[in-house]
Amino acid sequence: LFQLRRLDVAADSLRAALKLAPDHAPAHNILGVVLSNLGYSDAALESYNTAIRLMPNFASPYINRSLVLRHQGRFEESLASLDRAVALAPNNPNAHSNRGSLLTEMNQPAAAIPSLSRALQINPAMPFLPGIRMLNKMFLCDWSNFDRELADLSAKIARGEPAAPTWSLVGLLN
């Protein structure tokens, strides 16, 4: 139902499932995703927090929770949630990617680069990260491997790969 974008019905189905199994942390996490997509940020946070309370070592609700907190402008709380996700799942590229993107938004390029690099190390095909990583390096005047990275980024873009968000390209390509 979620994939079919029938979000209201998906939320109702998840609520019905949770009546049968109220301690099922993954269902609370998925309900949070659905509620967030419906625009119910506070209810989504409640679902994520419930999932975390029920299964504190489950990284996914920390990642999802961070997205809502970030959207609300609660950057420090979002970062703390991502730090916990990274600690729980150090090989999860989404945790590192979201952390690096958040730190970029927080104008902390030196802190963002290791997270972006780790995400790309785990999954080199992650969308947009090469451009975001390169932009952060430019903010720090880190020109190491610049020509090679720019050539790689340009080649990915030429192949139609989502290698960089449009806003990150302004300072990179002519």
Side-chain angles (χ1 to χ4, degrees):
L1 292 170
F2 178 78
Q3 290 177 347
L4 294 172
R5 303 304 297 164
R6 296 182 58 201
L7 301 179
D8 288 322
V9 180
D12 291 342
S13 294
L14 285 161
R15 286 185 188 107
L18 285 167
K19 285 183 182 178
L20 299 172
D23 291 340
H24 194 268
H28 284 283
N29 182 51
I30 295 168
L31 177 59
V33 172
V34 172
L35 293 170
S36 180
N37 277 269
L38 284 167
Y40 302 123
S41 298
D42 292 335
L45 283 176
E46 285 180 38
S47 291
Y48 298 138
N49 289 335
T50 300
I52 289 167
R53 180 179 50 77
L54 293 170
M55 193 182 289
N57 293 329
F58 181 28
S60 187
Y62 289 97
I63 296 169
N64 293 330
R65 179 178 180 265
S66 75
L67 295 171
V68 173
L69 293 168
R70 179 179 178 177
H71 181 73
Q72 292 179 340
R74 297 162 61 183
F75 297 138
E76 294 300 329
E77 291 174 82
S78 178
L79 183 59
S81 197
L82 286 169
D83 287 343
R84 181 68 179 139
V86 166
L88 291 171
N91 292 319
N92 183 318
N94 293 321
H96 292 283
S97 169
N98 288 346
R99 188 175 188 280
S101 294
L102 173 64
L103 288 164
T104 298
E105 188 173 346
M106 294 172 70
N107 197 28
Q108 296 182 27
I113 291 170
S115 291
L116 297 167
S117 296
R118 180 66 179 133
L120 285 167
Q121 180 185 33
I122 298 165
N123 181 0
M126 287 208 74
F128 306 114
L129 294 192
I132 296 171
R133 183 180 174 279
M134 194 164 181
L135 185 67
N136 276 287
K137 286 181 67 175
M138 289 174 60
F139 284 141
L140 296 173
C141 297
D142 177 354
W143 308 112
S144 61
N145 301 313
F146 181 81
D147 291 336
R148 181 183 55 79
E149 290 180 21
L150 183 58
D152 290 347
L153 183 65
S154 297
K156 288 178 181 181
I157 292 168
R159 289 191 301 266
E161 296 175 25
T166 306
W167 56 263
S168 72
L169 297 175
V170 174
L172 294 176
L173 303 175
N174 296 334

